[in-house]
């Protein structure tokens, strides 16, 4: 953890649990779905594609609007990502929202989402914050997958910003 981040303001509590109170109800639901889908696809830690799959699993109005703007079939997209990121069957791990089970990329993504949330003067991370952080990262596996089919991170971000401008999260 960066030494300039106060312990009480970090996304992770001392000892490792995620500070779920920093997330709104829809983004918490997406995180729990991400954990479930990581287990279902036989992963022993949470990676950025799992966060994306969690957003798609039970999309809130913002994620649904984002999918509509991109003309994406969200259930089909979820199925494609699950197939693409199917891991090798392993012994069951008690995967949870704890630092021990978060990849460095996911930890950075969650911190970026928290910073974005605060920059927009909100008190809770939204699904759009998570989505924007996924596509705003220079090393995003999810963004790379989209680029392979001709959808740039910039066009994804444009859709996020347009949705926020029309219906800003509270």
């Amino acid at each position: 953890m960066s030494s300039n981040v106060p312990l009480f303001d970090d996304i992770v509590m001392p000892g490792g649990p995620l500070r779920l109170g920093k997330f709104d109800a829809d983004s918490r639901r997406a995180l729990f779905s991400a954990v479930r889908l990581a287990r279902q696809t036989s992963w022993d830690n949470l990676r950025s594609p799992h966060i994306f799959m969690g957003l798609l699993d039970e999309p809130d109005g913002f994620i649904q609007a984002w999918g509509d703007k991109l003309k994406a079939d969200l259930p089909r997209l979820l199925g494609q990502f699950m197939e693409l990121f199917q891991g090798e069957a392993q012994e069951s791990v008690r995967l949870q929202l704890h630092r021990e089970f978060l990849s460095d990329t996911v930890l950075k993504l969650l911190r970026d989402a928290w910073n974005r949330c605060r920059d927009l003067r909100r008190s809770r991370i939204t699904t759009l914050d998570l989505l924007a952080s996924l596509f705003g990262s220079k090393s995003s596996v999810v963004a790379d997958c989209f680029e392979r089919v001709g959808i740039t991170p910039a066009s994804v971000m444009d859709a996020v910003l347009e949705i926020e401008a029309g219906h800003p999260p509270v």
Side-chain angles (χ1 to χ4, degrees):
M1 173 171 57
S2 174
S3 61
N4 61 354
V5 176
L7 284 177
F8 64 87
D9 198 36
D10 190 30
I11 202 74
V12 177
M13 289 189 270
L18 202 58
R19 289 186 195 272
L20 293 174
K22 292 189 181 294
F23 297 84
D24 72 6
D26 290 323
S27 61
R28 277 193 309 270
R29 191 171 22 263
L31 290 173
F32 288 120
S33 288
V35 168
R36 181 179 49 75
L37 292 166
R39 287 180 188 140
Q40 192 175 327
T41 55
S42 303
W43 286 79
D44 61 358
N45 60 13
L46 201 61
R47 303 284 183 155
S48 57
H50 301 122
I51 301 293
F52 184 62
M53 289 187 276
L55 291 168
L56 298 176
D57 190 42
E58 291 183 44
D60 67 359
F62 294 121
I63 299 301
Q64 192 65 55
W66 170 80
D68 292 347
K69 286 215 173 291
L70 294 179
K71 297 180 177 32
D73 177 342
L74 298 183
R76 183 170 173 249
L77 189 56
L78 173 60
Q80 290 171 328
F81 266 79
M82 286 183 67
E83 186 177 314
L84 187 60
F85 292 98
Q86 180 66 48
E88 306 241 344
Q90 299 176 3
E91 191 174 310
S92 181
V93 175
R94 299 290 304 162
L95 185 61
Q96 54 189 298
L97 293 171
H98 189 282
R99 171 66 185 109
E100 176 183 353
F101 299 103
L102 305 179
S103 72
D104 290 342
T105 301
V106 165
L107 190 56
K108 182 182 180 329
L109 177 152
L110 297 175
R111 286 180 173 143
D112 288 349
W114 175 235
N115 289 332
R116 182 179 193 277
C117 166
R118 290 184 306 174
D119 289 347
L120 294 171
R121 301 191 187 289
R122 292 195 309 265
S123 61
R124 301 280 184 271
I125 296 168
T126 67
T127 56
L128 287 179
D129 293 322
L130 292 171
L131 188 65
S133 295
L134 267 167
F135 284 90
S137 171
K138 299 209 184 319
S139 60
S140 172
V141 171
V142 176
D144 288 345
C145 290
F146 272 72
E147 278 198 287
R148 288 183 197 152
V149 296
I151 301 172
T152 65
S155 65
V156 171
M157 289 302 295
D158 288 346
V160 167
L161 296 173
E162 191 175 323
I163 291 163
E164 276 182 329
H167 303 288
V170 286

